């Protein structure tokens, strides 16, 4: 007994040692992780302080450059005073550009008709040409500069302002070449009576401004960009972005919401810091607005630059930590393997179940400890599993059959839904077209009836009649089709004279346009021969078959024949049209089925005919032996004809 207790104590101590070891690993990992996180925050904080100082210096430098432009422009305004003449304007702007080689140019645009002898437009412009030592100053050719941003904004505000615009918006057609984006300082000039005389505009060289801004780089990959009031790029190291106009059009609204948020913060004139992704890399952006203009600058710092030293430290510490954890893992594996050795036998036995051998029995254990009881429980579980596995297989087979039936039902429902949608679209088109024709001709008859020739009036009337018949026919088919599957009671006790019925159908055929193919009739029954049926339903079925025959027959004949076969009356409708292909015949009488999707019709003609014939106790079928076109046969049983014949003989 004491030996057993010692073994249990040794096992408990081993388990306790393993638990303590794992706890120490967790604590060690959490401590190192916390230290690394704190170090990372500290590195980022110091980097942001450095970057913020760099952005402050850059912003101050840009404000100084803009101040130089403002001073030079105001000096020119002061020198001009009231002595405004074309020659003095040229001299002053030449002086401004000559003393400031970093300016793109300077222009003075006069108010409308300021110099009456010069016309409505008069403007002068001076600039430094490339690869030249002299300043070019000239009077520009007349152009409408009143709608240009630099003139309109200054004149509207009535005070000096900075304007950013594209080159084509700043000067006339005759101006020199410019970069795509130009920033200008615009000052309105007024006379003693506070009337606008002109607007003087000085353009700041974007290349010069970009060179100054790009010199502020706290890190190798970092850069500064300058945005306008509406988010357009004024300065950016990637010149292709200057073509995309704004930061909002350059950003993908789906994947770059952070960049769009940055743009809104900047154009709102706010100052702060934001984490964004630029070209897929995480960056920290510091931004603040300028004091001279409603523009904003942003310093983009890649985290890969900020944490370069931090990452080098990680490259050293991670291998060391990994090696230490591996040593701990090896130690734990050795300890655990000693503890779980008794479970190996049970694992091998349970693997049979994992491999699908559900009938392989697991041996029972004689051990009384936890492992022994666990093995015995698994043995009992295997026996229960083996007994239930057959039931499960049978259930799966039944479920597969049910799923297959459900899939077939879903497929049929899908096809029915597709047919429904196609039918709705088709009927909308089929009804709308004749209605539009009737409506159009109705307006013509109403407005110009007296001026329409008699022959054309007949054509219009015939066309309206044709389309009215089409609508009536479609409505009739829809009514009959809507009763499909319902228990419809039809009176079939009427004795109908066959010859009169054929004559009625022929008259309807002749009255319906088009009148291209005449109807040929062949009545091979006695003149007084009758059939017991429903006149209306039989007439509708024959008319529908004849309508289809006339629609598809362009030459040849359409023929209606009647003959008897014993106690049956057979009606034949044949034509010399294109006929019906083998592939179409199998679905010929299905609802909404058409031989050609481009053919007019609802796909209800033949199904409705068959439904009408079946309601009166007959049958409609296609004569497959006829090869010159199409031939349909309506068979009407007349069982009382024999009784009537005997009555006549008596």
């Amino acid at each position: 007994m004491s030996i057993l207790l010692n073994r249990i104590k040794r096992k408990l101590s081993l388990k306790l040692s393993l638990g303590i070891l794992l706890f120490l690993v967790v604590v060690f990992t959490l401590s190192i992780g916390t230290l690394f996180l704190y170090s990372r925050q500290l590195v980022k904080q110091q980097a942001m302080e450095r970057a913020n100082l760099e952005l402050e210096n850059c912003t101050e430098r840009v404000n100084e450059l803009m101040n130089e432009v403002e001073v030079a422009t105001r000096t020119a305004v002061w020198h001009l005073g009231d002595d405004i003449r074309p020659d003095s304007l040229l001299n002053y702007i030449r002086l401004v550009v000559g003393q400031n080689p970093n300016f793109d140019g300077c222009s003075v645009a006069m108010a409308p008709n300021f110099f009456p002898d010069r016309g409505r437009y008069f403007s002068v412009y001076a600039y430094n040409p490339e690869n030249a030592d002299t300043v070019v100053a000239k009077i520009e050719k007349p152009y409408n500069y009143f709608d240009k941003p630099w003139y309109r904004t200054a004149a509207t505000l009535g005070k000096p302002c900075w304007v950013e615009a594209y080159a084509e918006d700043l000067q006339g057609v005759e101006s020199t070449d410019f970069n795509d984006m130009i920033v200008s300082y615009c000052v309105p000039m007024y006379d003693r009576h506070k009337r606008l005389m002109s607007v003087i505009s000085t353009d700041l060289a974007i290349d010069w401004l970009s060179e100054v801004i790009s010199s502020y780089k706290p890190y190798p990959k970092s850069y500064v960009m300058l945005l306008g009031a509406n988010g357009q790029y004024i300065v950016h190291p990637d010149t292709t972005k200057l073509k995309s106009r704004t930061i909002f059009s350059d950003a993908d609204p789906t994947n770059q919401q952070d960049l769009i948020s940055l743009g809104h913060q900047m154009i709102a004139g706010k100052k702060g810091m934001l984490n964004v992704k630029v070209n897929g890399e995480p960056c920290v952006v510091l931004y603040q607005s300028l004091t001279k203009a409603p523009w904003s600058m942003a310093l983009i710092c890649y985290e890969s630059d900020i944490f370069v030293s931090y990452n080098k430290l990680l490259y050293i510490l991670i291998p060391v930590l990994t090696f230490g954890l591996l040593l701990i893992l090896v130690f734990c594996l050795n300890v655990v393997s000693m503890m779980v050795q008794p479970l190996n036998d049970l694992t091998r036995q349970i693997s049979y179940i994992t491999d699908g051998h559900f009938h392989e029995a697991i041996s029972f254990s004689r051990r009384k400890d936890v492992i022994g009881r666990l093995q015995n429980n698994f043995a009992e579980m295997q026996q229960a599993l083996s007994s239930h596995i057959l039931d499960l297989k049978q259930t799966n087979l039944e479920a597969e059959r049910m799923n297959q039936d459900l899939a077939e039902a879903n497929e049929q429902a899908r096809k029915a839904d597709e047919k429904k949608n196609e039918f709705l679209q088709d009927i909308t088109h089929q009804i709308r077209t004749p209605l539009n024709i009737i409506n159009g001709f109705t307006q013509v008859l109403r407005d110009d009836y007296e001026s329409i020739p008699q022959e054309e009036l007949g054509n219009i009337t015939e066309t309206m009649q044709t389309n009215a018949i089409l609508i009536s026919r479609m409505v009739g088919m829809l009514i009959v089709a809507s009763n499909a599957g319902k228990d419809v009671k039809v009176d079939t006790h009427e004795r109908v004279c066959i010859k009169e019925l054929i004559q009625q159908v022929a008259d309807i055929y002749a009255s319906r346009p088009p009148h291209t193919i005449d109807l040929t009739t062949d009545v091979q029954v006695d003149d007084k021969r009758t059939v017991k049926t429903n006149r209306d339903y039989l007439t509708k079925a024959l008319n529908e078959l004849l309508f289809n025959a006339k629609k598809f027959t362009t030459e040849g004949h359409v023929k209606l024949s009647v003959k008897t076969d014993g106690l049956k009356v057979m009606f034949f409708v044949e034509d010399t049209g294109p006929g019906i292909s083998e592939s179409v015949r199998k679905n010929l009488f299905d609802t909404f089925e058409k031989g050609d999707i481009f053919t007019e019709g609802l796909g209800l003609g033949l199904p409705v005919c068959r439904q009408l014939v079946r309601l009166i106790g007959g049958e409609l079928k296609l004569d497959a032996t006829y090869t010159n076109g199409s031939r349909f046969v309506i068979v009407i049983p007349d069982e009382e004809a024999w009784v009537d014949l005997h009555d006549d003989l008596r």
Side-chain angles (χ1 to χ4, degrees):
M1 184 67 180
S2 60
I3 297 176
L4 180 60
L5 291 176
N6 291 332
R7 288 182 179 178
I8 295 176
K9 289 180 180 179
R10 286 199 297 270
K11 290 182 179 179
L12 290 176
S13 63
L14 187 60
K15 295 177 181 178
L16 183 60
S17 300
L18 181 60
I20 294 174
L21 180 62
L22 292 176
F23 175 76
L24 291 177
V25 170
V26 172
V27 172
F28 176 75
T29 304
L30 291 177
S31 301
I32 295 298
T34 303
L35 178 61
F36 273 104
L37 289 176
Y38 177 76
S39 301
R40 184 182 178 87
Q41 293 177 355
L42 184 61
V43 170
K44 185 175 181 179
Q45 180 180 356
Q46 293 177 350
M48 291 302 98
E49 291 177 356
R50 175 186 174 186
N52 187 59
L53 179 61
E54 201 76 10
L55 181 61
E56 292 282 354
N57 294 334
C58 183
T59 304
E60 186 64 27
R61 179 55 179 154
V62 172
N63 285 327
E64 291 176 0
L65 297 178
M66 298 173 70
N67 187 61
E68 292 180 15
V69 177
E70 293 179 2
V71 171
T73 306
R74 288 197 296 268
T75 302
V77 172
W78 180 78
H79 280 294
L80 285 173
D82 294 331
D83 182 22
I84 298 180
R85 293 175 291 105
D87 294 339
S88 63
L89 292 177
L90 287 173
N91 292 332
Y92 279 121
I93 65 174
R94 181 185 292 110
L95 181 63
V96 170
V97 177
Q99 292 179 349
N100 299 276
N102 291 318
F103 293 178
D104 261 0
C106 182
S107 68
V108 178
M110 307 307 298
N113 299 314
F114 186 84
F115 297 119
D117 57 332
R118 299 294 183 124
R120 177 177 174 81
Y121 305 104
F122 181 82
S123 62
V124 295
Y125 184 71
Y127 64 95
N128 287 309
E130 294 184 3
N131 302 322
D133 297 332
T134 60
V135 176
V136 177
K138 62 179 181 179
I139 298 175
E140 295 186 295
K141 291 183 179 181
Y143 72 98
N144 184 14
Y145 50 77
F146 302 127
D147 292 332
K148 300 297 182 180
W150 53 273
Y151 187 97
R152 184 181 64 251
T153 305
T156 302
L157 295 177
K159 62 181 181 179
C161 61
W162 281 91
V163 175
E164 74 278 1
Y166 288 88
E168 61 269 17
D169 293 330
L170 293 177
Q171 302 297 340
V173 181
E174 296 297 325
S175 298
T176 186
D177 295 333
F178 293 94
N179 295 322
D180 288 333
M181 176 68 74
I182 292 179
V183 294
S184 302
Y185 182 66
C186 308
V187 179
M189 297 178 60
Y190 295 91
D191 58 12
R192 297 171 182 171
H193 303 289
K194 303 300 181 180
R195 290 177 301 188
L196 180 67
M197 296 188 300
S198 63
V199 173
I200 179 170
S201 173
T202 304
D203 306 329
L204 181 61
I206 293 296
D207 293 339
W208 179 43
L209 186 61
S210 299
E211 183 179 352
V212 172
I213 291 177
S214 62
S215 63
Y216 291 89
K217 293 183 61 173
Y219 299 101
K221 293 169 57 179
S222 61
Y223 61 88
V224 179
M225 66 178 182
L226 178 63
L227 295 185
N230 295 321
Q232 61 269 35
Y233 291 110
I234 299 178
V235 174
H236 196 284
D238 185 0
T239 56
T240 59
K241 291 186 178 295
L242 302 180
K243 302 292 184 179
S244 60
R245 297 290 180 174
T246 69
I247 190 174
F248 306 109
S249 61
D250 183 55
D252 183 1
T254 304
N255 302 320
Q256 294 181 304
Q257 288 291 338
D258 51 356
L259 197 60
I260 295 176
S261 176
L262 172 64
H264 286 296
Q265 293 288 330
M266 293 180 67
I267 64 175
K270 297 182 179 180
K271 178 180 179 180
M273 181 184 71
L274 194 64
N275 294 320
V276 301
K277 280 192 175 182
V278 179
N279 298 326
E281 295 188 45
C283 300
V284 180
V285 180
L286 290 88
Y287 55 90
Q288 67 178 36
S289 60
L290 299 178
T291 57
K292 295 291 184 179
W295 305 333
S296 182
M297 298 184 65
L299 174 60
I300 292 85
C301 300
Y302 286 85
E303 290 190 359
S304 58
D305 284 349
I306 297 175
F307 298 109
V308 60
S309 300
Y310 176 82
N311 293 334
K312 290 181 179 179
L313 179 61
L314 289 180
Y315 296 151
I316 298 174
L317 291 179
I318 288 179
V320 175
L321 293 176
T322 303
F323 180 73
L325 291 176
L326 287 176
L327 291 178
I328 297 175
L329 179 61
V330 170
F331 175 77
C332 292
L333 286 176
N334 291 330
V335 174
V336 171
S337 62
M338 293 170 54
M339 293 181 60
V340 301
Q341 185 62 37
L343 296 176
N344 289 336
D345 296 336
L346 179 60
T347 301
R348 286 192 297 269
Q349 292 175 332
I350 295 176
S351 64
Y352 287 112
I353 298 178
T354 305
D355 295 336
H357 301 89
F358 302 105
H359 301 289
E360 295 290 339
I362 298 177
S363 60
F364 285 85
S365 175
R366 296 182 179 181
R367 296 179 57 170
K368 303 300 181 181
D369 57 3
V370 175
I371 296 178
R373 293 195 299 271
L374 178 63
Q375 182 173 349
N376 294 334
N377 289 336
F378 268 100
E380 294 175 358
M381 181 189 69
Q382 183 274 329
Q383 292 178 353
L385 182 62
S386 178
S387 63
H388 292 298
I389 197 65
L390 294 176
D391 296 337
L392 182 60
K393 288 182 178 180
Q394 184 63 30
T395 303
N396 289 338
L397 291 176
E398 294 178 359
E400 289 179 0
R401 287 196 296 269
M402 294 177 63
N403 290 336
Q404 185 176 1
D405 295 341
L406 182 60
E408 293 177 356
N410 288 336
E411 181 63 19
Q412 293 178 359
R414 184 188 64 80
K415 291 182 178 179
D417 187 63
E418 290 180 355
K419 285 187 177 181
K420 180 197 71 174
N421 294 334
E422 293 175 358
F423 170 72
L424 291 176
Q425 295 174 1
D426 202 2
I427 192 174
T428 301
H429 171 73
Q430 297 290 343
I431 293 180
R432 183 176 62 246
T433 300
L435 283 177
N436 290 339
I437 294 174
I438 294 174
N439 185 44
F441 280 131
T442 302
Q443 294 179 359
V444 171
L445 293 175
R446 182 191 62 192
D447 299 336
D448 301 323
Y449 179 79
E450 296 180 355
S451 61
I452 300 175
Q454 190 64 30
E455 181 180 355
E456 186 176 348
L457 186 62
N459 294 333
I460 293 176
T461 305
E462 182 177 348
T463 303
M464 294 176 64
Q465 180 185 6
T466 301
N467 287 279
I469 291 173
L470 286 175
I471 295 176
S472 177
R473 173 176 168 270
M474 285 187 285
V475 172
M477 287 192 297
L478 289 174
I479 293 174
V480 175
S482 65
N483 293 324
K486 298 180 180 179
D487 187 13
V488 179
K489 302 297 183 180
V490 178
D491 183 12
T492 59
H493 295 84
E494 180 182 0
R495 301 301 302 185
V496 179
C497 180
I498 296 176
K499 186 173 182 179
E500 292 178 359
L501 175 67
I502 297 302
Q503 185 60 44
Q504 178 184 354
V505 172
D507 293 340
I508 295 175
Y509 180 92
S511 64
R512 289 183 176 179
H515 305 291
T516 56
I517 303 296
D518 294 331
L519 176 65
T520 303
T521 59
D522 181 14
V523 182
Q524 301 178 16
V525 297
D526 188 77
D527 292 347
K528 296 183 179 180
R529 182 70 163 87
T530 62
V531 62
K532 189 176 181 181
T533 184
N534 185 290
R535 177 189 294 271
D536 184 45
Y537 276 46
L538 182 56
T539 302
K540 288 181 179 179
L542 290 172
N543 286 335
E544 184 61 32
L545 291 176
L546 291 172
F547 178 86
N548 282 340
K550 180 189 290 188
K551 180 170 66 173
F552 292 104
T553 303
T554 58
E555 59 182 9
H557 69 270
V558 176
K559 185 177 180 180
L560 172 60
S561 305
V562 185
K563 69 177 183 179
T564 59
D565 182 11
L567 300 180
K568 296 184 292 185
V569 180
M570 305 174 68
F571 297 85
F572 299 86
V573 177
E574 69 178 48
D575 60 64
T576 56
I580 301 174
S581 64
E582 290 291 340
S583 60
V584 177
R585 290 183 182 181
K586 59 181 180 180
N587 299 323
L588 186 61
F589 293 101
D590 291 348
T591 307
F592 309 131
E593 290 291 341
K594 297 193 295 183
D596 184 357
I597 61 174
F598 301 103
T599 302
E600 293 185 358
L602 302 176
L604 290 176
L606 292 177
V608 166
C609 284
R610 171 171 279 188
Q611 184 179 351
L612 291 171
V613 173
R614 287 181 173 178
L615 286 174
I616 59 178
E619 185 60 43
L620 172 64
K621 58 185 178 180
L622 173 68
D623 187 357
T625 63
Y626 184 73
T627 59
N628 293 330
S630 300
R631 177 188 288 166
F632 289 90
V633 183
I634 297 179
V635 181
I636 304 296
D638 192 13
E639 298 178 357
E640 297 187 11
W642 180 259
V643 178
D644 294 340
L645 179 59
H646 278 274
D647 292 340
D648 293 339
L649 292 176
R650 291 178 183 176

